[in-house]
Amino acid sequence: MNDPISSYLTEDHRRCDHLLAACEAAVSAAAWAAADEAAAGFRDALLRHFALEEDVLFPEVERASPAAAGPTGVMRMEHRQMRYLLDELVSAVRARDRDACLGNLETLHLLGQQHNVEEEGILYPLADDALTDSAEALVGRMRAA
């Protein structure tokens, strides 16, 4: 595996994308029990992804390449925005508010896609380059988290 950090985290992006789609399908069908489960699963997966980046990846990248603090700062800000939207999604599902859920999911999808492009195109390749010697161990730490 040439780019273990990019590969692992990009795969996790795709897993979160599938969970968002499952939530959208459940809400669209007004299958509220399934929507409750899907929203909670999506929220948990995305929060775990953010924690992997903020607690494991970003500090290592910033130590290896201090200039990375700019991009990681932007990513942290975007994570905060998406955390807020995740809380709003869970509230809207609990309220059985289909329109609010779908609007929130659309916003999360759009923000998430833009965010993922930035990470996958800039930050993850930077991490792979800056952390070549420790990349496998770093991915191991993320898998264990």
Side-chain angles (χ1 to χ4, degrees), residues 117-141:
V117 165
E118 293 168 2
E119 286 184 336
E120 292 169 19
I122 299 167
L123 190 61
Y124 296 167
L126 174 71
D128 285 320
D129 290 342
L131 303 170
T132 301
D133 294 339
S134 60
E136 291 293 343
L138 188 68
V139 171
R141 284 176 47 206

Side-chain angles (χ1 to χ4, degrees), residues 94-134:
R94 284 186 188 136
R96 306 305 193 233
D97 185 336
R98 183 178 181 276
D99 291 340
C101 289
L102 292 175
N104 185 283
L105 285 163
E106 181 178 359
T107 302
L108 276 164
H109 176 76
L110 292 172
L111 284 176
Q113 292 307 306
Q114 291 172 337
H115 181 82
N116 292 354
V117 165
E118 293 168 2
E119 286 184 336
E120 292 169 19
I122 299 167
L123 190 61
Y124 296 167
L126 174 71
D128 285 320
D129 290 342
L131 303 170
T132 301
D133 294 339
S134 60

